Amino acid sequence: MNLLIATAGAIDPWIVAFSLVTVVVTVWMGFRSAKTSKTASDFFVAGRSVSVGWNASAISGEYLSAASFMGIAGMVMSSGYDALWYPVCYACGYLFLLLFIAGPLRRFGAYTIPDFAEGRYDSPLFRKIAVCFVLFIGFFYTMPQMKGAGVTLAYIFPGMPYWAGVVLVGAVITLNVALGGMKGITLVQAVQYWIKVFAISVPIFVLAAVYGFYGTHLGANQAPGEAAAPVMAAEVSRHDLPEKAPKDAPWVSPFGPLTTKAVNAAAAALPADQRAAYLAEHQKPYSLLYTYSLIIALVCGTAGLPHILVRFYTNPDGVAAKRTTMWVMILIGVFYVFPPVFGVIGRNLMPELYAGVGAKGTDKVVLELPTLLTQKLGVVGSILSGITCAGAFAAFMSTFSGLLVSMTGALAHDVYGRMLRPQSTPAERLFAFKVAAVLIGGVAITLGCFVEVLEINFMVGQAFAIAAASYFPLLFMSVWWRGMTMKGAATGMLTGGLCALVAAALTNLATLALDKGPMGKVFASFKGLNDFWAAHPLLRILCEQPAIWTVPLAITLMIVISKATAASAPANVRMKMLVLHAPEQLGLKQEYIQEQQAGAGH
Amino acid sequence: MPTPTPHEDRVHSEEFLHTLMRRQLKLSIACAATFLVALLGMPLLNYYAPALMATRVAGFTLSWLILGVLFFPFVWIISWRFIKQSIALEQDEVKSVKR
């Protein structure tokens, strides 16, 4: 209670008002559209009357998560140039989806990846294996969303502990999904996209007009080889950088702090006189390796995200699926130009964030930067900060809801409805859906409470790395190679995906062990891993960015095992390939999912 | 199931599926190659030509300008071309079967 009174004075009513309106409108719209769509086929088929533009907005709305809205700006501010690979690959990964997967998958008529896995190989067993990764990828994806929620609430209500924000937002969204408020979400997600793009761009235009443009702020950083920064201090009044901030040269140029962390740690463990020689020899090559591994993870991972692929079935046919993908790339590409600008301006004008950790660190730059305007434009600063907070709410709410629907669906339909109780009635399944939603929401909230010191964007990158090594090889190879067998697909997907999963988990545990706060004590037993990595920086890079070895591993295993078990390839594989690739006008399309699913399709 | 017409025989032939998949894959790979050369070439340029990539353009380093801004429209152009050609290709296939 004392805490509440103490913080009440620091709360900005504008920020609270904008955030509250976003939450209320989202919940209200969700319930309104849920009334009109009762079953799974309603959910998907209803979308088919929606135009390509709305559909593309909805996909973009679901895709732009806390990582895009807050995480990229935070990471550009903390690490500089190297963080730009994230927005570029988040947007361009859709090209792989467009070129190799979107059209065929839509023609096949399976709603989800587990549906596809079962239909392509006529194997209910494979469906059960495939469904695991909906949960694995989903949990890695929800952790950063929860951190976004914790950071935003800790910013709006100063003094509120990080975990309280995670629990509050997580509980609201979980209840909303469990009560059925997020079924017919196409319209809600579409509106969320436009809120996000408005919330990220308008503050930038105002900030740039007052404090100088993107290039001007970037120019204030002195690149290596330059005698002085091209933009003088007179034009941009930079604040002094704290001790923890990276220097100008590594920040503004490639191969900076993000990709050289492992080598720098290894150098720090060496005797002082060997450090310079070691860095000169290893820093850039290892950094290049890191960069390539990151690119593979993000580009391939985009094409294997379960909650995004589901949305392609709201397209009437393969051609519309392709058109939608192109519009998604345009919509999110426009969005992704803006977040790095926050990071660049934040470095010059709000460097005190470098000193903060967790919820007080650079991940909140998008929320706090507009308040600078208060000095010059008064209340405009608060309003714009309120707008970015509203955008952040839209970001983690839409993505968390979408993930929760996918994961709950997987648990309720596949695990309960098909494995545990195949004979259950629709009412029982509806109840199972609610229990599953609460269960998954609870796990996501618990995980979210532990990750305060990890960067939002980095965690989402890990979810992409897991998707890249599991679903991407599965989809890509199943669509284009007839020789695939169920055993080959399952072995490759499981091995690649689990390797990526373990690597990502180890990286996070080792980072948490370094925390000076309570998390460091909880995970202290993983401290030894950091010493091991200091001696073997290459292994650390391969663990932190596993895609460069897990994706080829998965594909190689698929090919080798499929060749070895060629006799067990599905008998009617030619017909399946024809359905995947022949234009719809030839009338070969079959709807794989029949109405039997509709009962469970809450 | 209606009785198979001649055009359905053609659709279900091995040869049709083979050409169909090969033509579509060829187009996809051509577009992917353009994209990958640019995307994977960027780190190499940064590695081997750091001075060139650090050239300032309106305050941006060249490297930052390409990755942070110009890369998006580049990908839009690839995807627009791909869609145009793949729709044309599909219509062509439909025509070849119905002939």
Side-chain angles (χ1 to χ4, degrees):
Chain A
M1 202 58 216
N2 285 334
L3 192 73
L4 276 180
I5 295 164
T7 57
I11 296 171
D12 191 317
W14 284 101
I15 298 176
V16 176
F18 275 103
S19 309
L20 207 62
V21 167
T22 314
V23 177
V24 171
V25 167
T26 305
V27 172
W28 176 75
M29 279 182 60
F31 271 103
R32 231 183 72 115
S33 52
K35 274 186 193 152
T36 55
S37 57
K38 290 268 184 285
T39 65
S41 43
D42 276 353
F43 170 69
F44 294 110
V45 178
R48 294 188 189 167
S49 55
V50 175
S51 66
V52 166
W54 275 108
N55 224 334
S57 304
I59 295 176
S60 311
E62 185 153 0
Y63 187 63
L64 296 175
S65 70
S68 308
F69 199 88
M70 304 164 71
I72 290 171
M75 199 184 239
V76 167
M77 183 168 168
S78 69
S79 311
Y81 176 88
D82 287 334
L84 287 179
W85 291 108
Y86 280 91
V88 167
C89 297
Y90 285 154
C92 302
Y94 272 92
L95 192 66
F96 259 50
L97 191 62
L98 171 67
L99 296 179
F100 296 109
I101 294 170
L105 208 62
R106 174 64 200 90
R107 290 194 197 106
F108 199 71
Y111 284 152
T112 63
I113 299 178
D115 284 343
F116 174 77
E118 182 182 354
R120 169 72 175 77
Y121 297 102
D122 293 325
S123 166
L125 171 70
F126 192 31
R127 176 194 191 92
K128 292 170 193 168
I129 301 173
V131 96
C132 302
F133 280 96
V134 174
L135 299 177
F136 293 156
I137 297 166
F139 279 125
F140 265 89
Y141 219 116
T142 55
M143 285 194 285
Q145 312 309 322
M146 288 289 95
K147 179 178 173 186
V151 170
T152 309
L153 259 74
Y155 167 69
I156 298 176
F157 304 105
M160 185 169 181
Y162 164 81
W163 63 265
V166 172
V167 172
L168 187 66
V169 174
V172 168
I173 302 174
T174 305
L175 270 180
N176 191 26
V177 169
L179 296 176
M182 269 294 162
K183 272 184 298 176
I185 43 183
T186 304
L187 182 66
V188 187
Q189 301 281 27
V191 171
Q192 302 265 26
Y193 167 77
W194 292 102
I195 294 178
K196 279 179 257 192
V197 85
F198 174 80
I200 201 95
S201 57
V202 170
I204 284 296
F205 289 127
V206 180
L207 280 164
V210 175
Y211 291 103
F213 291 95
Y214 194 0
T216 317
H217 279 276
L218 210 51
N221 292 280
Q222 187 183 345
E226 285 178 337
V231 174
M232 289 297 116
E235 273 182 82
V236 172
S237 51
R238 290 184 86 180
H239 301 204
D240 293 332
L241 291 171
E243 190 78 1
K244 276 173 81 181
K247 300 280 172 287
D248 278 4
W251 185 84
V252 80
S253 54
F255 313 121
L258 177 72
T259 53
T260 55
K261 209 184 317 166
V263 177
N264 292 343
L270 290 173
D273 56 324
Q274 296 171 16
R275 274 178 209 162
Y278 181 83
L279 283 176
E281 189 186 345
H282 293 101
Q283 203 169 30
K284 280 181 86 179
Y286 282 14
S287 177
L288 192 66
L289 177 78
Y290 188 108
T291 309
Y292 277 128
S293 195
L294 176 65
I295 292 173
I296 294 172
L298 298 178
V299 169
C300 298
T302 310
L305 291 178
H307 66 295
I308 295 301
L309 283 167
V310 157
R311 291 227 142 260
F312 279 89
Y313 298 102
T314 53
N315 290 299
D317 53 39
V319 172
K322 285 177 184 167
R323 285 221 176 91
T324 303
T325 319
M326 190 182 98
W327 276 104
V328 169
M329 281 161 67
I330 293 175
L331 292 177
I332 61 181
V334 168
F335 177 90
Y336 279 131
V337 172
F338 293 102
V341 191
F342 276 98
V344 172
I345 301 181
R347 175 176 168 85
N348 290 338
L349 302 182
M350 206 172 255
E352 60 269 24
L353 291 184
Y354 282 113
V357 287
K360 306 278 175 235
T362 53
D363 269 344
K364 72 166 178 169
V365 64
V366 168
L367 309 175
E368 193 156 345
L369 198 61
T371 56
L372 286 175
L373 291 162
T374 313
Q375 301 156 11
K376 294 201 174 182
L377 302 173
V379 77
V380 174
S382 292
I383 293 177
L384 289 177
S385 182
I387 289 175
T388 56
C389 284
F393 268 97
F396 53 71
M397 281 184 81
S398 57
T399 305
F400 188 60
S401 305
L403 284 165
L404 207 54
V405 170
S406 299
M407 294 161 80
T408 306
L411 202 62
H413 298 173
D414 288 299
V415 179
Y416 179 80
R418 281 167 175 256
M419 293 181 215
L420 299 178
R421 294 277 313 276
Q423 307 305 322
S424 52
T425 63
E428 281 176 325
R429 289 181 186 211
L430 200 69
F431 182 70
F433 183 94
K434 290 179 195 215
V435 174
V438 173
L439 201 70
I440 288 177
V443 175
I445 291 168
T446 314
L447 288 172
C449 288
F450 285 103
V451 296
E452 185 183 353
V453 295
L454 301 175
E455 276 189 294
I456 293 176
N457 206 26
F458 178 71
M459 286 188 277
V460 165
Q462 292 182 319
F464 277 69
I466 299 169
S470 54
Y471 282 153
F472 172 73
L474 168 73
L475 294 169
F476 181 79
M477 298 297 289
S478 303
V479 165
W480 293 105
W481 188 40
R482 294 193 241 191
M484 275 271 274
T485 64
M486 189 278 270
K487 288 181 186 119
T491 318
M493 182 185 78
L494 274 177
T495 314
L498 289 178
C499 284
L501 179 80
V502 170
L506 284 177
T507 310
N508 287 352
L509 290 169
T511 312
L512 286 170
L514 291 178
D515 180 36
K516 292 187 181 66
M519 287 305 148
K521 290 196 190 84
V522 177
F523 296 100
S525 48
F526 292 92
K527 249 197 171 102
L529 206 51
N530 289 301
D531 303 330
F532 174 75
W533 279 338
H536 306 90
L538 192 61
L539 289 181
R540 171 170 188 145
I541 290 173
L542 293 178
C543 206
E544 198 173 319
Q545 292 301 340
I548 203 161
W549 59 277
T550 50
V551 177
L553 174 73
I555 292 179
T556 313
L557 276 174
M558 283 179 179
I559 295 174
V560 171
I561 308 278
S562 293
K563 291 264 187 207
T565 59
S568 67
N572 55 348
V573 67
R574 194 203 294 168
M575 187 61 206
K576 289 185 195 298
M577 294 316 256
L578 207 51
V579 172
L580 279 166
H581 295 285
E584 275 95 343
Q585 291 97 310
L586 297 179
L588 296 162
K589 201 180 91 189
Q590 53 180 23
E591 288 299 328
Y592 169 70
I593 291 301
Q594 308 299 330
E595 270 306 295
Q596 48 127 357
Q597 273 246 296
H602 173 78
Chain B
M1 196 77 190
T3 47
T5 58
H7 102 256
E8 280 188 6
D9 285 346
R10 161 126 175 76
V11 166
H12 290 265
S13 71
E14 185 60 41
E15 181 208 343
F16 177 73
L17 179 63
H18 190 74
T19 14
L20 181 74
M21 281 179 70
R22 218 193 40 207
R23 286 176 73 187
Q24 286 175 349
L25 193 60
K26 226 171 108 182
L27 174 63
S28 291
I29 286 179
C31 292
T34 321
F35 167 67
L36 287 178
V37 165
L39 185 70
L40 301 179
M42 271 297 284
L44 285 182
L45 277 176
N46 287 334
Y47 192 86
Y48 288 108
L52 170 75
M53 297 307 271
T55 317
R56 292 284 184 166
V57 184
F60 294 87
T61 61
L62 186 59
S63 191
W64 194 299
L65 184 67
I66 294 175
L67 203 58
V69 183
L70 300 180
F71 216 88
F72 299 107
F74 168 68
V75 176
W76 299 340
I77 294 169
I78 299 181
S79 67
W80 179 74
R81 285 203 51 136
F82 169 76
I83 288 175
K84 234 179 99 172
Q85 290 182 6
S86 90
I87 291 175
L89 200 138
E90 287 190 9
Q91 281 168 352
D92 191 48
E93 278 152 5
V94 173
K95 244 193 260 159
S96 81
V97 167
K98 299 233 160 121
R99 203 167 38 206

